[in-house]
Amino acid sequence: MCGITGIYAFNELGRFFSINLQQATLQLNRRGPDFLNTSLHERINLGHTRLSIIDPNPAANQPMTDSTERYTIVFNGEIYNYREIRQNLQNQGVEFSTESDTEVVLKAYIHQGVKCLQQFNGFFAFAIYDEQSKKMLLARDRLGIKPLLIYQDEDKLIFGSEMKALIRFGIEKEIDYVSLKQYLQLNYIPQPYTMLKKVRKLPAGHYLIVEGRENQTEEAFYQIPYQGKANSGTKSYEEAQSEFAQILERSVQQRLVSDVPLGSFLSGGIDSSVIATLAARHTDKLHTFSIGYKDEPFFDETNYAQLVAKKIGAEHTVFSVSNQDMLDHIYEILNYIDEPFADSSAIAVYILSQRTKAHVTVALSGDGADELFSGYNKHAAEYRLRQNSWKVGLVKSLSGVWNALPKSRSSKIGNKIRQLARFAEGAKLSVKDRYWSWATFAQEDEVDDLFNEKIRAKAVQEVYDERKQDILQHLQHNGVEDFNELLLTDMQLVLPSDMLTKVDLMSMANGLEVRVPFLDHEVVNFGFSLPAKYKIDASYRKKIVQDTFRNVLPKELYQRPKKGFEVPLLKWLRHDLHDMVMKDLLSDEFVEKQAIFKVEEVQKIKQKLLSGNPEDTHARVWGLLVFQHWWKKWFA
């Protein structure tokens, strides 16, 4: 658990900003409160924070410099196969002075260059500086599990694990209104963009070599191996199940190696239950953790988690939290987030991470399986629509009925009506437009209407269209057999920009490291070697995941509806957070003074929130509140 930052100065003016290195590094202290250090060079200055010092050898501290004092590294992450790589290097005569994976990364780069990235199995973001050539390498892991943000202008390039470190360097803060427009639709910002112009995220599976302002090279060292229907393969479903079980168990085993206490999240869903079951096979007494809602039984799934824990013999802890417990942390969460991110389930992940950290330092999770193997409700809806059965026609024909009925995520019936209405509307659209519609909480014209005229002009339509089409580029077909196109889009949009961002932010805010076995690149490669029919059919989502582990999981897990990791947001916004909505961040006075949104349009959204037919308005209001809090902190 670490935080990294640094600055590459292109000229003397850029070097002046290096005076902020210490303070910028301090901004990352929740990622690593136990140790902070910096390394100063003529052009490049590096900073590093770390949660704990496992290796007592001072040479293991970071920034780490090799014995020749030519190469220096700051590293964040874990390399699970570093011992194997270390041994191969030792066989070639390379000497090591520590037991750390950081030194393995550094020595691998020294002796192999960027080709070393192909060997690393793990998650990481790091920078290596070559004092002799004045060259810096930045790299980010294959799936984007760890963040790496970059700011650049004429004088300097600054990087860091979080936006707050970059801001502390004194960078120019200018809102990217195209990012804001997409954020107000999705409630997160699609990577590689951020809410600030000149700041971007290094794409997953990419590296950047910097040798000055004009001499830079950025390339991908990994891409998800998908070539359309050519991925159908020849292995039978039974052979695929057997191979999948072996690959995933190996991934879990690798992530159990730890010098600190380790446990596993256990929500009661299929994904976390599979991971915990596999981990229990290789752990004397696995500790598992889940969160329950004592005030909200509709959202509580802890009974399923307890069934799994009992079956695998885990020592299970349920954190039963009240609405007030979660509400008490909202401002703490909002203050930690350094660019708008409004997936409300982050609140629950924050509480789960905080309380889990009191027991262990590392936790396994089941994240990634939904995107990789087709686990979302929208996947089931898309599959049914592509089958074009009589049921699809019936739902479409009743579109007017669904639209007339009250809809809400906070009740079983209201949520079902909401889903039917979205399905009927999506059925009228092209595959690309349908994907975007089902991914968003607001239509494009609704966001445009929200902006005042000056801001609407800054959200340049051509740039917005270009970014949107880039996101949707893989959606070319509309058949059941082409379903992997949709999953690839999820892997490149939803996974890094929403799910992994949420887990990284909320776990790091509490000094907890989360490891994700489903996102081992060998598991991902395997997943995209499978035909879509192995992942989804008319009866099952995540078909191969469910079938492979059916005999080792409680049967009750297969007799329950899919639920997200949600919180009772609508209820909070109407009651506990009412003043935040009405009197503070979305008050007429604040909105008018801010001069981004139209007061009358914000009023309409607030009225919809309080109506008997709120639909998804609570998500839109939450997205606005998160942005307003962020804007007030950095721009007011």
Side-chain angles (χ1 to χ4, degrees):
M1 289 75 73
C2 308
I4 64 172
T5 189
I7 179 171
Y8 189 125
F10 302 142
N11 52 37
E12 287 302 310
L13 181 57
R15 288 183 64 186
F16 172 78
F17 286 83
S18 298
I19 63 174
N20 297 313
L21 177 66
Q22 187 82 7
Q23 289 301 313
T25 308
L26 277 170
Q27 298 301 307
L28 304 172
N29 68 324
R30 290 180 74 163
R31 288 181 174 266
D34 299 333
F35 184 78
L36 181 151
N37 197 17
T38 59
S39 177
L40 307 180
H41 303 266
E42 179 184 358
R43 291 191 182 187
I44 293 184
N45 297 304
L46 306 172
H48 183 267
T49 64
R50 185 167 175 172
L51 181 66
S52 59
I53 307 301
I54 304 302
D55 192 331
N57 184 349
N61 294 338
Q62 294 187 52
M64 178 187 291
T65 302
D66 76 314
S67 59
T68 69
E69 299 187 352
R70 175 177 172 178
Y71 298 93
T72 302
I73 184 173
V74 285
F75 174 83
N76 173 30
E78 298 282 343
I79 305 298
Y80 301 119
N81 63 334
Y82 79 95
R83 291 185 177 89
E84 175 187 335
I85 298 171
R86 174 191 171 106
Q87 186 60 59
N88 290 337
L89 289 168
Q90 286 178 321
N91 292 342
Q92 300 171 40
V94 179
E95 297 181 354
F96 291 84
S97 58
T98 76
E99 299 297 322
S100 70
D101 57 352
T102 302
E103 187 180 14
V104 172
V105 173
L106 179 60
K107 294 292 179 68
Y109 174 70
I110 291 172
H111 292 275
Q112 300 168 355
V114 294
K115 292 180 180 179
C116 69
L117 295 169
Q118 300 290 344
Q119 300 180 49
F120 300 152
N121 187 336
F123 59 100
F124 54 81
F126 65 81
I128 296 177
Y129 175 55
D130 180 348
E131 178 70 42
Q132 180 174 306
S133 67
K134 310 302 181 187
K135 178 191 301 184
M136 180 175 70
L137 168 72
L138 296 171
R140 188 179 181 199
D141 65 72
R142 291 174 176 85
L143 280 304
I145 298 171
K146 281 298 171 185
L148 188 58
L149 291 85
I150 299 170
Y151 168 90
Q152 184 171 342
D153 59 24
E154 292 184 356
D155 307 308
K156 57 194 174 294
L157 181 148
I158 299 171
F159 68 88
S161 299
E162 295 180 9
M163 182 83 78
K164 57 177 67 72
L166 276 61
I167 291 175
R168 193 62 185 83
F169 270 106
I171 66 170
E172 177 185 352
K173 299 196 300 292
E174 181 181 357
I175 293 176
D176 181 337
Y177 288 102
V178 174
S179 289
L180 176 57
K181 181 173 178 176
Q182 291 192 324
Y183 164 80
L184 291 172
Q185 291 187 271
L186 295 161
N187 273 9
Y188 59 85
I189 302 164
Q191 298 187 21
Y193 305 101
T194 74
M195 194 60 81
L196 296 183
K197 289 185 176 180
K198 298 185 181 179
V199 178
R200 65 186 181 95
K201 296 181 175 77
L202 185 66
H206 280 63
Y207 68 84
L208 172 65
I209 295 175
V210 183
E211 299 180 78
R213 185 176 64 195
E214 305 298 334
N215 191 3
Q216 300 183 23
T217 302
E218 182 175 321
E219 292 186 8
F221 68 89
Y222 172 80
Q223 292 180 316
I224 293 174
Y226 175 68
Q227 295 88 36
K229 296 178 185 178
N231 282 53
S232 60
T234 57
K235 61 175 74 75
S236 69
Y237 186 55
E238 291 71 23
E239 291 171 332
Q241 286 180 261
S242 177
E243 186 177 348
F244 175 50
Q246 295 175 33
I247 293 174
L248 186 59
E249 185 161 5
R250 183 164 63 245
S251 174
V252 171
Q253 280 185 275
Q254 289 176 320
R255 284 154 181 78
L256 290 172
V257 177
S258 176
D259 294 317
V260 295
L262 180 146
S264 187
F265 291 156
L266 184 56
S267 68
I270 293 290
D271 308 332
S272 64
S273 298
V274 166
I275 297 303
T277 298
L278 294 176
R281 294 177 181 176
H282 304 280
T283 309
D284 290 336
K285 191 69 173 181
L286 181 68
H287 294 261
T288 55
F289 308 93
S290 63
I291 188 170
Y293 305 112
K294 63 174 67 172
D295 299 332
E296 304 289 342
F298 180 73
F299 296 100
D300 193 293
E301 301 180 290
T302 54
N303 56 318
Y304 295 105
Q306 290 171 324
L307 285 172
V308 177
K310 182 178 180 180
K311 187 174 182 66
I312 66 177
E315 185 173 318
H316 188 59
T317 302
V318 176
F319 306 120
S320 186
V321 300
S322 66
N323 282 339
Q324 193 59 49
D325 290 331
M326 290 188 280
L327 287 165
D328 286 344
H329 289 87
I330 280 183
Y331 280 102
E332 185 178 354
I333 293 169
L334 290 176
N335 284 327
Y336 182 76
I337 295 171
D338 50 15
E339 72 168 336
F341 178 79
D343 182 335
S344 61
S345 65
I347 300 167
V349 176
Y350 183 93
I351 301 288
L352 176 61
S353 297
Q354 181 190 65
R355 301 201 176 183
T356 298
K357 181 57 171 63
H359 299 265
V360 298
T361 307
V362 175
L364 305 184
S365 89
D367 289 294
D370 283 326
E371 293 83 4
L372 180 57
F373 292 107
S374 190
Y376 290 124
N377 289 332
K378 68 178 182 181
H379 295 152
E382 179 70 24
Y383 187 87
R384 292 190 185 101
L385 196 151
R386 294 187 181 200
Q387 285 187 306
N388 199 28
S389 68
W390 66 268
K391 293 181 181 180
V392 171
L394 178 62
V395 173
K396 288 167 62 177
S397 68
L398 294 173
S399 175
V401 176
W402 313 132
N403 288 333
L405 293 172
K407 296 171 278 294
S408 170
R409 283 179 180 264
S410 297
S411 70
K412 186 174 181 180
I413 295 176
N415 193 42
K416 177 57 68 175
I417 295 170
R418 182 191 67 86
Q419 291 173 338
L420 289 168
R422 284 173 67 86
F423 182 89
E425 289 301 313
K428 305 172 186 176
L429 304 175
S430 69
V431 61
K432 288 186 177 183
D433 289 341
R434 181 166 60 248
Y435 179 93
W436 190 250
S437 176
W438 286 355
T440 58
F441 295 103
Q443 299 301 315
E444 183 181 333
D445 58 349
E446 292 178 312
V447 176
D448 286 338
D449 290 343
L450 191 59
F451 289 141
N452 65 41
E453 295 306 315
K454 182 178 179 180
I455 298 302
R456 184 169 180 173
K458 291 184 177 181
V460 181
Q461 186 66 37
E462 291 79 9
V463 177
Y464 170 87
D465 290 339
E466 182 179 333
R467 292 187 189 180
K468 180 179 173 181
Q469 291 309 312
D470 186 56
I471 291 169
L472 304 175
Q473 63 178 303
H474 299 295
L475 296 171
Q476 300 293 332
H477 305 91
N478 200 28
V480 171
E481 68 277 9
D482 303 302
F483 214 81
N484 275 315
E485 293 179 351
L486 184 142
L487 301 183
L488 179 62
T489 305
D490 275 356
M491 292 289 290
Q492 295 180 342
L493 171 65
V494 181
L495 183 69
S497 302
D498 185 1
M499 300 306 167
L500 292 179
T501 295
K502 172 178 62 182
V503 173
D504 177 77
L505 280 172
M506 298 300 98
S507 62
M508 287 292 96
N510 293 286
L512 179 74
E513 178 181 305
V514 176
R515 299 177 179 177
V516 281
F518 276 111
L519 296 183
D520 185 299
H521 69 278
E522 292 185 358
V523 177
V524 173
N525 292 351
F526 170 79
F528 276 91
S529 74
L530 300 176
K533 64 182 180 181
Y534 288 5
K535 301 179 183 182
I536 187 170
D537 62 20
S539 302
Y540 293 107
R541 289 165 285 168
K542 285 183 294 196
K543 179 178 171 63
I544 192 170
V545 180
Q546 296 201 52
D547 286 348
T548 301
F549 298 98
R550 188 178 296 274
N551 293 332
V552 297
L553 296 179
K555 64 180 183 301
E556 289 86 351
L557 268 63
Y558 293 85
Q559 301 167 353
R560 52 178 295 236
K562 169 77 173 178
K563 279 192 178 182
F565 204 30
E566 296 193 34
V567 295
L569 189 60
L570 177 62
K571 179 179 178 180
W572 292 352
L573 293 172
R574 285 176 165 179
H575 301 286
D576 303 271
L577 300 178
H578 182 268
D579 285 353
M580 182 192 289
V581 177
M582 298 298 178
K583 299 180 180 180
D584 185 11
L585 297 176
L586 293 182
S587 67
D588 293 352
E589 295 78 13
F590 187 91
V591 172
E592 186 172 7
K593 183 178 179 180
Q594 182 189 34
I596 293 178
F597 307 114
K598 295 177 184 176
V599 173
E600 61 272 20
E601 292 299 324
V602 174
Q603 288 175 341
K604 290 178 183 178
I605 295 174
K606 292 189 293 185
Q607 291 167 2
K608 180 76 171 176
L609 177 74
L610 300 177
S611 74
N613 186 23
E615 300 184 69
D616 285 330
T617 306
H618 62 289
R620 293 192 66 193
V621 171
W622 181 243
L624 280 168
L625 288 174
V626 172
F627 174 79
Q628 297 294 78
H629 184 91
W630 174 83
W631 185 90
K632 185 176 181 180
K633 179 179 180 180
W634 296 111
F635 289 88

